[in-house]
Amino acid sequence: MPLTTNTILICAGGACVSAGEESVKDALERKLKEYNLQDIVKIVETGCMGACSLGPIMVIYPEGVYYQKLTPEVAEKIVEEHILKGRIVKSHLYKGEKGEVIPQPQEEVAFFSRQVKIATRNVGVINPLDIDEYIARDGYFALHKALKEMTPEEVIQVIKDSGLRGRGGAGFPTGLKWEFARKSPGDKKYMICNADEGDPGAFMDRSILEGDPHSIIEAMTIAGYAIGAQKGFVYVRAEYPIAIERLTEALKQAREYGFLGENILGTDFSFDIEIRIGAGAFVCGEETALMHSIEGKRGQPRVKPPFPAQKGLWGNPSNINNVETLSCVPPIIFHGPQWFKQWGTEKSPGTKVFALAGKVKNTGLVEVPMGITLRELIYEIGGGSPTGKKIKAVQTGGPSGGVIPAEYFDTPVDFESLTSLGAIIGSGGMIVLDEDDCMVDVAKFFLEFTVDESCGKCTPCREGTKKMYEILDKITNGEGTEEDLETLEQLAYIIKDSSLCGLGQTAPNPVLSTLKYYREEYLAHVREGKCPAKKCKELISYVIDPEKCVGCTACARVCPVSCISGEVRKVHTIDQEACIRCGSCIEVCRFGAISKVTPAVSVEVEE
């Protein structure tokens, strides 16, 4: 067998696949074959490498050169220049703050170098479809240790000692959860992996399933041993076809290697896992609704107690953990609890994966130690604003979370600190907002999501969130009153206190946090008909500055409703009644002659 001279890791995460990863890989294979290099250059499709805005991405070893924004043509050029001649193709390297090229940003750029990867330790590194690569990275060693050297109680104690808390939102201690299930009487118990990741913009669970499915299988098997379960289910949404495909293959491989099935590793412990595919309802992320769905019933929550550990799937004791939580289990068992606790804070040990998005230069998945400050996350790792505009706030925790203003950016990111500010870590969604974002509009966006996703079982959530959305819509249309703000706040607390499940109980959070920190924006809408961020269409107008307009006609040509008129080299005007405020004109004006004003310019109607 010829020796491999180069290994090309190419990101096959969902974002890179969407950006054309497959055609790039095809071009690589085609060009390598053309030069008869296919046997000495190895191409490995990995899971998500994290920097999703830069895809498709690949890294060429042994040098570790990082190429981004690839096309099939560039891939062919890299084979001819880099692989054949040893010359790096600089045009598609990572570019730093001042435009300088950085061949190995993994070591020099904070977005990569400041990460500590535990949950995503293998994602972007191994071929998820090759169990041998997982084993080569200490895969299934923890399972061997647990089954051969530890009692179930000792496994639970290690998880308790590590301080691992659920990464799905609530932050409940994982070891305690396992202990409840262990001690709950019953001959039949179930271990469930919640892969029904529903927060808009969050995709860490999908990335782990796509990039490291064996870590979930190993963790579930360890958990099954600890609580006394013989059967496990992975509940994953149908929108994740790549994750389902790779997990299915990984399950098959694990059975072939004796890591699943009867008498695992020669012990008397038997355990197997099935995949259950959900239809994508947000409420099925709630554990009782999820179990109903697995049972073939409509995915709706029920009253707790009894908790799943007491009465779960088909009435039997069950334990549910999400993907990211489980992915931390094997290294904790293998290395011990103190190893895990070297990162994070006393009450929130370890790391957390965040999906960094919005108005920052570097977007994508980042895994960082708990306790890192929001400022470090946004400015050092995220790179700050890409436009130079002032960053105003960060929204954490998805539709169940809240906004945190810039003056609190020195707050450490852990469960307690964010909760004290009226936000939550949630599953790890983190959206950075700047001065162009209207906080009323942000609250309305998230509430619209929860209105759509409410299962309708309980009245406070079904009717209350709809009423709140109607009030927010009224305010953003310039029709709100100060009394509406009082009603909005009262409704929010009633819904939080009286809803059946976590979806309803947390749905008002975006409204309450924006009312708490940005009440002046709400008041500007209802008192003055102004949107300070100039975002709400009914409260703004686009106007042309006659001192700056040169009559180039660019705005008139791009206007989709032909509401801009004027002769060449003469000042143009906008018909405010016809204008749909799409913003196309301001984007093409090279002279800064068009601006937004609030309140909207009044339109005189002829009698």
Side-chain angles (χ1 to χ4, degrees):
M1 179 183 291
L3 291 174
T4 300
T5 58
N6 294 91
T7 299
I8 301 175
L9 301 186
I10 181 165
C11 177
C16 280
V17 169
S18 300
E21 178 270 340
E22 290 182 359
S23 58
V24 170
K25 176 173 168 279
D26 290 344
L28 282 172
E29 290 176 336
R30 188 168 56 247
K31 209 65 180 174
L32 288 172
K33 193 172 182 181
E34 184 179 321
Y35 290 105
N36 199 28
L37 297 171
Q38 69 274 15
D39 293 330
I40 60 171
V41 178
K42 183 180 178 184
I43 299 174
V44 178
E45 284 185 294
T46 72
C48 178
M49 291 185 179
C52 301
S53 62
L54 304 178
I57 298 166
M58 69 181 184
V59 183
I60 298 182
Y61 289 97
E63 304 95 333
V65 176
Y66 187 98
Y67 286 108
Q68 62 182 29
K69 297 184 178 180
L70 299 170
T71 64
E73 294 75 24
V74 175
E76 291 185 354
K77 185 176 180 182
I78 288 172
V79 171
E80 291 177 335
E81 292 294 314
H82 187 136
I83 302 295
L84 269 177
K85 303 171 186 173
R87 297 193 295 227
I88 292 174
V89 179
K90 294 184 179 178
S91 60
H92 284 71
L93 295 178
Y94 186 91
K95 292 186 174 54
E97 289 277 328
K98 298 174 182 174
E100 74 280 15
V101 295
I102 304 176
Q104 288 106 3
Q106 307 95 310
E107 299 170 1
E108 301 176 41
V109 177
F111 180 82
F112 304 95
S113 63
R114 289 211 56 185
Q115 294 195 46
V116 176
K117 296 196 172 188
I118 297 176
T120 59
R121 60 195 177 279
N122 294 323
V123 180
V125 177
I126 65 169
N127 177 356
L129 296 175
D130 189 342
I131 190 173
D132 291 336
E133 292 201 16
Y134 180 70
I135 293 171
R137 300 263 301 172
D138 298 335
Y140 291 109
F141 283 35
L143 177 63
H144 183 275
K145 181 179 178 180
L147 297 189
K148 297 283 190 178
E149 302 173 19
M150 302 169 74
T151 65
E153 290 77 12
E154 287 172 336
V155 171
I156 291 172
Q157 191 59 48
V158 167
I159 298 300
K160 285 175 70 176
D161 290 345
S162 74
L164 176 64
R165 299 171 64 172
R167 266 46 176 167
F172 193 82
T174 304
L176 201 56
K177 208 171 182 180
W178 289 16
E179 190 172 63
F180 289 151
R182 175 75 193 174
K183 291 182 176 177
S184 192
D187 296 332
K188 188 176 284 188
K189 297 181 182 181
Y190 293 101
M191 174 61 212
I192 302 167
C193 172
N194 183 351
D196 193 57
E197 187 176 46
D199 282 4
F203 56 101
M204 55 286 293
D205 289 353
R206 171 171 62 78
S207 294
I208 293 170
L209 281 177
E210 288 179 355
D212 194 17
H214 282 287
S215 68
I216 303 307
I217 296 171
E218 183 178 12
M220 287 184 69
T221 310
I222 293 170
Y225 172 69
I227 68 170
Q230 302 80 36
K231 184 80 177 179
F233 290 95
V234 178
Y235 186 83
V236 56
R237 49 182 45 218
E239 293 99 320
Y240 288 178
I242 299 174
I244 293 169
E245 177 188 332
R246 293 178 185 173
L247 183 61
T248 301
E249 177 61 25
L251 286 170
K252 179 184 166 190
Q253 293 175 355
R255 292 188 190 103
E256 290 172 355
Y257 275 61
F259 298 131
L260 281 178
E262 299 293 325
N263 304 113
I264 296 172
L265 296 175
T267 67
D268 59 0
F269 174 63
S270 300
F271 185 78
D272 210 339
I273 298 171
E274 280 185 29
I275 298 173
R276 289 296 168 93
I277 300 173
F282 182 67
V283 73
C284 285
E286 198 278 339
E287 54 189 11
T288 60
L290 183 153
M291 289 189 296
H292 279 161
S293 183
I294 289 178
E295 292 172 355
K297 301 172 185 172
R298 183 174 180 180
Q300 287 188 320
R302 64 161 170 79
V303 175
K304 292 184 286 186
F307 294 99
Q310 303 162 308
K311 191 174 181 182
L313 208 52
W314 292 293
N316 298 294
S318 304
N319 179 73
I320 303 178
N321 296 118
N322 87 327
V323 172
E324 186 185 343
T325 310
L326 287 169
S327 66
C328 293
V329 167
I332 290 174
I333 295 295
F334 186 62
H335 296 291
Q338 293 306 318
W339 170 85
F340 185 70
K341 292 174 79 170
Q342 68 180 293
W343 297 284
T345 65
E346 183 180 353
K347 292 183 177 178
S348 302
T351 58
K352 178 76 190 83
V353 185
F354 291 98
L356 195 56
K359 309 293 180 58
V360 282
K361 290 176 185 171
N362 305 319
T363 59
L365 284 188
V366 293
E367 183 172 2
V368 292
M370 288 278 200
I372 192 173
T373 66
L374 288 166
R375 189 176 304 283
E376 291 173 293
L377 251 175
I378 294 167
Y379 288 96
E380 292 184 30
I381 294 175
S385 170
T387 60
K389 292 188 176 180
K390 184 180 178 184
I391 291 178
K392 183 177 181 178
V394 61
Q395 205 280 347
T396 66
S400 302
V403 297
I404 301 172
E407 55 263 39
Y408 295 101
F409 279 0
D410 290 318
T411 302
V413 178
D414 58 46
F415 291 105
E416 285 74 21
S417 299
L418 294 200
T419 302
S420 70
L421 293 175
I424 60 172
I425 287 181
S427 62
M430 189 169 279
I431 301 171
V432 180
L433 308 169
D434 71 10
E435 59 192 5
D436 289 339
D437 291 302
C438 168
M439 290 305 171
V440 187
D441 189 60
V442 167
K444 180 181 159 185
F445 169 81
F446 283 109
L447 206 62
E448 183 178 16
F449 177 85
T450 48
V451 169
D452 286 344
E453 293 293 338
S454 173
C455 75
K457 184 171 181 177
C458 72
T459 307
C461 178
R462 183 184 68 241
E463 300 298 330
T465 54
K466 186 180 176 187
K467 183 63 182 173
M468 286 181 71
Y469 174 78
E470 289 171 354
I471 293 173
L472 288 170
D473 191 49
K474 190 177 165 188
I475 294 171
T476 54
N477 284 327
E479 300 164 353
T481 64
E482 290 192 51
E483 289 72 28
D484 286 329
L485 299 188
E486 292 178 17
T487 306
L488 193 63
E489 205 158 15
Q490 289 171 358
L491 266 174
Y493 286 114
I494 291 171
I495 293 166
K496 276 182 77 72
D497 293 341
S498 56
S499 290
L500 179 60
C501 78
L503 189 152
Q505 291 161 9
T506 58
N509 284 351
V511 176
L512 287 173
S513 62
T514 49
L515 274 170
K516 178 180 179 181
Y517 296 116
Y518 297 96
R519 184 175 286 271
E520 74 281 3
E521 287 199 23
Y522 281 87
L523 291 173
H525 282 69
V526 299
R527 284 178 180 171
E528 306 167 58
K530 286 183 178 179
C531 174
K534 298 174 185 173
K535 178 84 172 181
C536 299
K537 285 188 175 182
E538 297 302 323
L539 303 181
I540 63 168
S541 293
Y542 286 84
V543 296
I544 295 177
D545 184 346
E547 299 294 324
K548 295 181 179 176
C549 179
V550 298
C552 70
T553 75
C555 56
R557 283 183 277 123
V558 79
C559 178
V561 293
S562 302
C563 72
I564 301 178
S565 58
E567 297 178 20
V568 177
R569 296 182 183 174
K570 290 188 177 179
V571 174
H572 283 42
T573 57
I574 298 176
D575 179 347
Q576 296 296 341
E577 194 171 6
C579 177
I580 59 172
R581 303 169 187 88
C582 66
S584 299
C585 54
I586 205 168
E587 290 177 5
V588 298
C589 181
R590 295 179 289 119
F591 304 97
I594 303 177
S595 61
K596 291 188 283 186
V597 296
T598 184
V601 175
S602 60
V603 179
E604 294 182 4
V605 180
E606 293 183 6
E607 295 185 358

